Amino acid sequence: MKISHKVIIFSNLVLAGVSVGIMQNNAKADTATSDNQTAQVAQVQAATATESTATVSANAADTQTSSSDELTATQVQAPQANVQAATDANTQAGEQPTDQPIATKIDGGVVTVGNQQASLYDGNGNKLSVSIAPNSGWITDQKLSTQAGDTYYRVSTDAYANGNDVTLTFGNNKSGVVRVKGWGAKTYNRNDSGFSDASNGNLAANTSWQFNKTNDLNGITYYQVGTNLWINSNDATDAPAYSNPAGWLQIHNTQIQPEGTVGYDLYNGVEGIKVYLVRKLFGYSNSHTIYDGNVINSVRSFQAKAGLPVTGVTDLATWKAMGYSEDSWYGIDSYIAPLLTNENSSRSDHIEAMITQAKKYIGQPWVSGAASSPDYGVDCSGLVTQAMYAAGIDPSPVGSIQHAQPGHEWNSRDMWADWRMPHIAASQRQRGDLVFFTDPSTGIIWHVGILLDANTMIDSWPGTVGTSSIYSGKGNIAGYARVFS
């Protein structure tokens, strides 16, 4: 852009609603955020020069300027830029530009500054002393193209960045998986004015693609699945292939995190794997894995001999003095089965993930209140909890840490009472459903297993984790509940 010696705003370069008095009191820079491209909000403030103020008329022919040494100063304040800006003082009244740039509207563009700060120019090519910060992103709504082949992008009312100093991109940084619908997906390229046919043919129906950007335009969402190759929400969706109905336990497509205190102390009434190991250290039976009075007394004696505070509570210091590692103190508590499903998983995939995780515990001992990793034993509801985690189901408030706390040993009862897993008729039971049993003497729920078929389950029963018939004498069958609709 040739630097002019007269400040002129061409009316065809001014968007509707943008003030043409840009050299007066203030003008606000429009910036935006694009996830990893952090767009910074800049406030453009005008400070009037001491003797006279340059003004710009909406009518280019009537534009007048003050002397070249007394133009209005501007300042851009941004997180990485705070510099006093003034228009380049090489304008002189009466001289007409010889290279009028061509303005093109840009829909949804973002320009990102490189590793060096980028200078700004006004609409006539006059270099401003203001610069925008390195590695910052700015919304742009207009491109100026000069006869000399230069390109400038508007980032404020009358402030343009040179195309050599910035990179123009479109859309928001967002990653995920998009699935093509049954008729295939047309492909598009993104340009300044929007999307155009890429002429690459369609992506195959019912295929899945990783995307790294989205761009919403005219009520349609576009997904970038290749280098400037996009498909849109008319032909594809990032919604999961399967989801449970409203009111059911909902499916998570990201790794579920532990809920509760990771690294909890052991005190009266606590159960689970850490209690199991402490009881084992002192030679106690694990027919019922509970931190009881006998364990408390043994811990007190141990603490006294080890020079630790005699509390009877096993904390991290006592745990380590017993010879166990700090990693195990937290690792036992924090284990959540790795997610084995994703957005593309079908109902069958979720059921198989649940059963796959449960099978990892086969042969491990039954441990009351335990719901940790396959390195250790579990009880019946602990097994089901970890199996659900692997399939993307969080049964909270039932949880792996909660299960070990006093009063929560019988999570099978809480699962049976959870209306988010609807009860089903015995005639409708199938693989992946839960089967519940009652204590024959009380009629109260006391056991749960995962159906492998109509008559076989995987469960943890005092002794070990394994598979067995649902008619193997583990109580009276109370009924069945469905995790996946």
Side-chain angles (χ1 to χ4, degrees), residues 63-99:
T63 300
Q64 298 178 350
T65 66
S66 66
S67 65
S68 61
D69 294 329
E70 296 174 352
L71 295 177
T72 302
T74 61
Q75 184 178 25
V76 171
Q77 295 177 338
Q80 300 182 49
N82 185 6
V83 293
Q84 182 67 30
T87 55
D88 214 20
N90 52 6
T91 62
Q92 296 179 4
E95 197 172 309
Q96 298 295 329
T98 59
D99 179 9

Side-chain angles (χ1 to χ4, degrees), residues 264-348:
Y264 58 82
D265 291 346
L266 309 181
Y267 54 93
N268 188 38
V270 174
E271 299 183 55
I273 293 302
K274 290 198 295 191
V275 175
Y276 173 87
L277 293 174
V278 171
R279 289 182 64 91
K280 185 177 180 181
L281 178 71
F282 293 119
Y284 292 116
S285 165
N286 274 297
S287 58
H288 188 181
T289 308
I290 189 168
Y291 203 87
D292 57 16
N294 291 329
V295 176
I296 291 171
N297 289 333
S298 294
V299 170
R300 285 178 176 274
S301 297
F302 177 85
Q303 289 170 328
K305 293 176 182 178
L308 297 169
V310 180
T311 63
V313 173
T314 298
D315 56 8
L316 176 58
T318 303
W319 178 262
K320 291 169 67 176
M322 291 175 177
Y324 300 123
S325 70
E326 183 170 345
D327 286 345
S328 65
W329 175 258
Y330 296 106
I332 289 171
D333 297 350
S334 64
Y335 180 81
I336 299 291
L339 185 64
L340 301 179
T341 55
N342 56 42
E343 294 89 346
N344 295 313
S345 298
S346 65
R347 178 181 185 273
S348 177

